[in-house]
Amino acid sequence: PPIAPAPPPPWYSPVTNSASLTASNLLKILPGSLFFGVISGLISAWITRKLNLRKEHKKAAELSLLLVFALGTYTVTDSVGLSGILALFFSGLTMRHYTFYNLSAGAQRTATTFFA
């Protein structure tokens, strides 16, 4: 008797609908990640402005706040099912544009060295 072909592995998916599925996933993930990233960056700018750590010369607190926002953005966005990497990228762009100038000069130099 002829041998029947083995069934496909459970992770296998046919390629026929993958282009439309990829496009629909991209249209959901990209705007959501962009939104979370930009909002996170703007919130960090607002908080650093209101806490006014710049005048108190608390460089470690300023840098810790940057790290908390970066890791928090990645964690929250990834747990929601969006792209944590994209959200972190957009958050970093927003933080560099707005939050960076709320930091003290020493924190700006350290952040530039650390994140570059």
Side-chain angles (χ1 to χ4, degrees), residues 4-83:
W11 47 263
Y12 174 78
S13 64
V15 180
T16 55
N17 292 331
S18 82
S20 63
L21 184 62
T22 302
S24 69
N25 281 341
L26 182 67
L27 290 177
K28 284 186 253 180
I29 290 173
L30 184 63
S33 300
L34 181 124
F35 175 77
F36 271 103
V38 169
I39 291 298
S40 171
L42 291 175
I43 290 172
S44 76
W46 183 75
I47 286 178
T48 54
R49 165 85 35 129
K50 290 298 178 187
L51 288 179
N52 208 9
L53 296 172
R54 179 182 195 170
K55 291 184 180 176
E56 298 176 19
H57 302 291
K58 295 186 177 182
K59 182 169 74 169
E62 292 175 303
L63 294 173
S64 297
L65 197 60
L66 286 180
L67 282 173
V68 165
F69 270 97
L71 293 173
T73 300
Y74 178 84
T75 303
V76 168
T77 311
D78 198 42
S79 67
V80 172
L82 300 172
S83 174

